[in-house]
Amino acid sequence: MSRQPLVLGVDGGGTKSIGLVADPSGNILARRESGASNVNVVGLDGAARSLHKVISDCCDDVRCPPDELRAVVLALAGAGDDASRLRIKDAVNDLFIRDGKKALPLFVETDARAALEGAFGGGPGVVVIAGTGSIIVGKTQRSDLLTIGGWGRILGDEGSGYFIGREALRAVTLQLDRRGEATKLKDKIAEVHHWQTRADIIKAVYQEKIELSQLAPLVLEAAAENDVVAQRILQNAALLL
């Protein structure tokens, strides 16, 4: 009996990668997660390893060799140009070839484009993505694509989880310097991450390279408790989006 053709899609960002396997009717047969796959955050090798793992794990669940998939679509943050997409494709396939597999039928696209096409079934519309990073993508009636944002954490990502986390930590540093308002964020961050002093924060940010987006949920908690500083951070993030 011939195996039914299966497809696999991966939504990859700066925090995690989610893979789904589906049959021709769109039924989801497997779901797995792995680490970040944004090349601008974890580098090409790190992204390739995360993608290799999530694809392999999904295929193990459905007992389908990766190179027998009908198509594999990688919808990734940080894959905004043709050169980056080609490098990602080659790096992922190299890992499978080392495993003794054939090259996979890989298609690399941005996560924003995949969200746009999925939300409107290929038609016109606009999507706003605000995860670890942020970007807005639209498609016109003539199929022209328009993009705002997507510049990454150094140049942009306004309204993103990273932006919210960074603003929260900035508020804490201002309070420690006695230049800013008192905020519940200081105690919440200290309780979860044990950053009490200037040295703790500097070490976490510059030496340990912590992911600032993980602080965003603490901002939501503080805002719900009527912390003015946290509410202002979220209001500004929403306004920028």
Side-chain angles (χ1 to χ4, degrees), residues 6 8 37 42 44 62 70 82 133 143 147 160 168 180 220 232:
L6 301 178
L8 189 151
S37 53
V42 295
L44 182 60
V62 296
R70 177 62 59 89
D82 291 340
S143 295
T147 299
S160 68
L220 295 173
R232 189 180 301 135

Side-chain angles (χ1 to χ4, degrees), residues 136 158-159 163 235-241:
I136 299 173
E158 298 93 333
F163 172 90
Q235 289 166 353
N236 187 39
L239 178 62
L240 289 169
L241 287 174

Side-chain angles (χ1 to χ4, degrees), residues 49-60:
R49 287 194 297 270
S50 293
L51 294 167
H52 176 269
K53 176 172 174 50
V54 74
I55 294 170
S56 298
D57 289 347
C58 281
C59 287
D60 287 345

Side-chain angles (χ1 to χ4, degrees), residues 73-226:
V73 177
L74 308 179
L76 309 176
D81 60 88
D82 291 340
S84 295
R85 290 193 281 270
L86 179 59
R87 283 190 320 208
I88 294 167
K89 177 179 178 180
D90 289 344
V92 174
N93 266 330
D94 283 347
L95 292 179
F96 281 103
I97 290 171
R98 290 181 201 174
D99 291 342
K101 307 287 195 306
K102 298 177 183 177
L104 276 57
L106 289 177
F107 301 88
V108 182
E109 191 46 88
T110 66
D111 58 342
R113 178 67 185 276
L116 177 66
E117 300 297 344
F120 298 99
V126 176
V127 294
V128 178
I129 296 178
T132 302
S134 65
I135 188 172
I136 299 173
V137 179
K139 188 175 184 181
T140 70
Q141 293 281 0
R142 297 183 300 178
S143 295
D144 296 326
L145 292 175
L146 307 171
T147 299
I148 297 175
W151 293 101
R153 60 184 64 187
I154 294 176
L155 299 178
D157 277 355
E158 298 93 333
S160 68
Y162 181 89
F163 172 90
I164 292 170
R166 185 189 67 197
E167 292 300 296
L169 206 51
R170 286 186 62 199
V172 171
T173 63
L174 289 172
Q175 182 178 348
L176 288 172
D177 278 349
R178 297 182 177 85
R179 295 189 293 142
E181 300 174 61
T183 170
K184 293 180 181 180
L185 291 170
K186 178 177 177 292
D187 291 337
K188 286 186 175 292
I189 291 174
E191 180 181 357
V192 174
H193 297 283
H194 311 294
W195 304 337
Q196 303 276 2
T197 66
R198 174 191 299 270
D200 292 338
I201 294 174
I202 290 175
K203 179 182 178 182
V205 173
Y206 296 107
Q207 297 177 30
E208 298 173 352
K209 308 292 185 183
I210 58 97
E211 180 51 65
L212 293 180
S213 62
Q214 64 184 292
L215 302 180
L218 300 180
V219 182
L220 295 173
E221 288 181 14
E225 296 170 11
N226 296 317

